[in-house]
Amino acid sequence: MSVLRNTSVEAAQLVRNGSLDVVYVDARHDYRSVKEDMGLWWSKLCRGGVLSGHDLIWPGVRRAVVEFVAKQKDDVHQVSSSRRNTSRAGSSFAARESVARGRRGQV
């Protein structure tokens, strides 16, 4: 495993298409940036690979993910979302989402 501390655009240029099993992006939370990140990293996944991130509760993140998944149609096998408590007081939550690449039954 390698951790790349670059912008998404810079890091994506270093990675061959179809070469990754898992991508976890923790980047900007505005709609345009999330849409760009998903587009950059989706092609880097092999069949059955998982694109994951967090903060689905942010409106821009949610919108970008929903639109991206709808556009992929048969290429998305599964989308999951989970929430976990991230503060001791119990008032702050972060959502994590994952999108698996591959046609149904082929992942």
Side-chain angles (χ1 to χ4, degrees), residues 4-16 36-37 40-41 44:
L4 301 177
R5 293 182 186 262
N6 303 73
T7 67
S8 288
V9 174
E10 293 167 345
Q13 293 172 355
L14 303 173
V15 179
R16 183 173 92 252
E36 180 181 41
D37 286 340
L40 285 169
W41 290 101
K44 306 303 177 183

Side-chain angles (χ1 to χ4, degrees), residues 30-41:
D30 61 279
Y31 169 78
R32 287 185 190 148
S33 296
V34 175
K35 186 175 176 179
E36 180 181 41
D37 286 340
M38 292 186 79
L40 285 169
W41 290 101

Side-chain angles (χ1 to χ4, degrees), residues 1-70:
M1 174 159 81
S2 297
V3 175
L4 301 177
R5 293 182 186 262
N6 303 73
T7 67
S8 288
V9 174
E10 293 167 345
Q13 293 172 355
L14 303 173
V15 179
R16 183 173 92 252
N17 285 350
S19 65
L20 300 177
D21 294 315
V22 176
V23 174
Y24 185 87
V25 179
D26 184 3
R28 296 178 61 184
H29 295 84
D30 61 279
Y31 169 78
R32 287 185 190 148
S33 296
V34 175
K35 186 175 176 179
E36 180 181 41
D37 286 340
M38 292 186 79
L40 285 169
W41 290 101
W42 189 251
S43 64
K44 306 303 177 183
L45 292 173
C46 63
R47 275 276 186 227
V50 175
L51 178 61
S52 188
H54 68 99
D55 288 338
L56 192 59
I57 59 175
W58 288 65
V61 174
R62 178 173 290 283
R63 179 178 161 211
V65 170
V66 167
E67 289 178 8
F68 183 84
V69 169

